[in-house]
Amino acid sequence: MAHPFSVRVAAGAAGTSRLVLAGDLDAATSPLLERAIQAELDAGRHRLVVDGAGLTYISSAGLGVFMGFVEEIRERGGDLKLCRLAPKLRQLFDLLGFPSIFDLVPDVEAAEALFAAGALRQNVP
Amino acid sequence: MSGSPANGRVSVPASPESLARIRRLVLGLAREAGLAEKEAGELEQAVDEACANVIEHAYAGREGEEIGLAWSLDPDAVTIRVRDSGRPFDATALPDEELATLVTQRRRGGLGMRIIRALSDDVRYQSGPGPWNELSIRKRRKREQPG
């Protein structure tokens, strides 16, 4: 069954932007996510919480969007934190070593709490 | 295996919009062959990554090209062969790159072959003579534990 991809952006707590993703994030749909993140950065919003609860699939093209943006986001004093990934997707993030670079947290509130506490990861040395 | 023949092939347009259809096909074949859901999903992802590589690298995004998919469903494994007629490139010869390196270089690519390798039991690349390249991806059926 096809799972059309969508990204919805909303203001969250602690000055965050919440990007709510749903559907299959692959090489066809990753440009939509790229544009959504770029739009947040262009608007000066760089505290990003990615809510992945609705994601049904993610390929390297989708993962590449997070990889490609995170250094720039941190340079601007922000961060990109991911939450609510389905176990199947979380396994892929773990396999590739994402937890060493990104905060992957259980829910939106945990991500916002990290931002509120000023817990921003630094750029990779 | 009732619906799909044990061997078959299709051609699809080499465009990102084909990827969802390719994933559906592979998932269906994997289930047909009796792979568990986890293994079926891993094969689905490995083939998706291989086809995305063909579209981006072998054909460099050119329109009007095709990807050939051939499958064989055996009692103990499913093999999917992804064939193109674009630029030959043996990504299986590349070493895996660390995520930290890709991030510091702000690269959006570089994980595809690593994912294919991690999720498959056997990956082989062949190229020509003639204008064809093929990545063969094999996924074994897990045997039930005796007992």
Side-chain angles (χ1 to χ4, degrees), chain A residues 65-85:
Chain A
V65 177
F66 303 129
M67 279 161 45
F69 270 117
V70 70
E71 292 268 301
E72 181 185 348
I73 291 168
R74 288 173 183 165
E75 272 175 11
R76 294 176 182 222
D79 200 3
L80 185 152
K81 301 180 191 294
L82 299 112
C83 65
R84 301 217 298 160
L85 295 165

Side-chain angles (χ1 to χ4, degrees), chain A residues 1-2 24 26-28 34 57-60 64 67-72 75 91-92 95-98 101 124, chain B residues 16-17 19-20 23-24 38 44-45 48-49 52 99-100 102-104 106-109 111-112 114-115 118-119:
Chain A
M1 205 165 62
D24 288 0
D26 66 3
E34 197 160 336
Y57 177 81
I58 186 162
S59 76
S60 64
M67 279 161 45
F69 270 117
V70 70
E71 292 268 301
E72 181 185 348
E75 272 175 11
Q91 282 172 13
L92 186 66
L95 174 77
L96 298 168
F98 271 71
I101 312 249
V124 176
Chain B
E17 288 68 36
L19 292 170
R23 291 197 301 273
R24 275 199 302 281
K38 181 169 186 289
E44 173 195 14
Q45 176 131 30
D48 176 79
E49 299 288 353
L99 183 64
L102 299 173
V103 165
T104 51
R106 304 180 187 211
R107 282 166 57 188
R108 281 165 168 69
L111 287 179
R114 187 167 156 198
I115 292 175
L119 300 184

Side-chain angles (χ1 to χ4, degrees), chain A residues 47-64:
Chain A
R47 293 155 77 93
L48 307 182
V49 175
V50 173
D51 179 352
L55 272 185
T56 44
Y57 177 81
I58 186 162
S59 76
S60 64
L63 297 167

